[in-house]
Amino acid sequence: MNKQKRQAIFERLQAANPNPTTELNYQTPFELLVAVILSAQATDKGVNKATDKLFPVANTPQKIHDLGLEGLKRYIKTIGLFNNKAKNIIETCRILMETHGGEVPQQRKALEALPGVGRKTANVVLNTAFGHPTMAVDTHIFRVSNRTRIAPGKTPLEVEKKLLRSTPEVFLQDAHHWLILHGRYTCVARKPRCGSCVIEDLCEYKEKTE
């Protein structure tokens, strides 16, 4: 895909949604970190239902740590893999308090050292909470990047590197939100909604639907 076409794609996505953001509910970097850890293999809607009850009660590393493992599980038991996620979050709270003064670090290495935080989660937090121009490649971005040919790659990391290299700088801050939302609502997995797609004529997918 050429540079001009990529530019046009992001221009249209921006025009359709000038201020994109995550669909997870959060007020602070720590709340976002917890929500993103919980969102692995779960829907944002399901996570929001749980955190809407959890955060008014406990929304700092100290308060969640004070809930204890069983106390935290009561709030997140509707979310898939909640046992493992609860362990990771409690341990993350301990590390944040002991190593980072109770604050969420802004360095990738420090974020990825937290239990339950991989590269994708770190990228979401760096981008959404701290305004870093990162690209959090989830299943939606991976699919959209390969299907449209905007940044084809065999692994999430390969797609991430291609997107960072080829996305016009002016769009980098918001690009991952546009691509996630596009994959979630238009360029869906089973049958993309090409007929209602704002970039249909620019997309290089060969098997377009009506």
Side-chain angles (χ1 to χ4, degrees), residues 2-175:
N2 64 40
K3 196 174 171 183
Q4 290 74 20
K5 203 180 267 190
R6 279 197 194 91
Q7 175 79 21
I9 283 173
F10 284 112
E11 282 176 357
R12 288 195 199 170
L13 293 174
Q14 183 184 51
N17 186 3
N19 299 297
T21 189
T22 178
E23 294 187 315
L24 291 167
N25 295 340
Y26 77 99
Q27 297 293 326
T28 65
F30 176 70
E31 286 186 1
L32 179 65
L33 175 62
V34 170
V36 180
I37 292 172
L38 290 173
S39 73
Q41 296 178 305
T43 65
D44 287 1
K45 195 174 177 182
V47 172
N48 288 338
K49 266 188 179 178
T51 57
D52 285 351
K53 290 175 182 170
L54 171 65
F55 290 156
V57 175
N59 67 340
T60 66
Q62 185 68 63
K63 286 179 180 175
I64 287 186
H65 195 267
D66 288 348
L67 280 178
L69 196 57
E70 294 309 315
L72 177 57
K73 283 181 188 178
R74 281 199 291 275
Y75 287 97
I76 66 170
K77 63 187 177 185
T78 54
I79 297 171
L81 310 174
F82 74 92
N83 282 311
N84 204 36
K85 289 174 182 177
K87 280 182 201 167
N88 286 337
I89 290 168
I90 292 290
E91 183 62 8
T92 283
C93 288
R94 184 189 67 75
I95 294 169
L96 290 178
M97 289 187 294
E98 290 182 4
T99 311
H100 302 288
E103 299 294 323
V104 177
Q106 293 195 42
Q107 300 78 34
R108 175 188 300 285
K109 194 174 177 184
L111 281 168
E112 289 186 20
L114 299 170
V117 178
R119 187 177 182 87
K120 187 191 82 174
T121 297
N123 278 336
V124 172
V125 173
L126 288 170
N127 177 277
T128 307
F130 300 122
H132 296 204
T134 58
M135 199 71 66
V137 179
D138 67 350
T139 54
H140 297 302
I141 291 188
F142 187 76
R143 179 175 67 254
V144 170
S145 297
N146 276 290
R147 193 183 263 166
T148 63
R149 310 301 291 168
I150 196 170
K154 290 179 181 172
T155 66
L157 185 58
E158 189 183 344
V159 168
E160 179 189 330
K161 286 179 177 176
K162 277 193 179 178
L163 283 169
L164 288 171
R165 201 166 55 239
S166 62
T167 302
E169 195 175 343
V170 67
F171 301 119
L172 259 180
Q173 176 61 41
D174 293 322

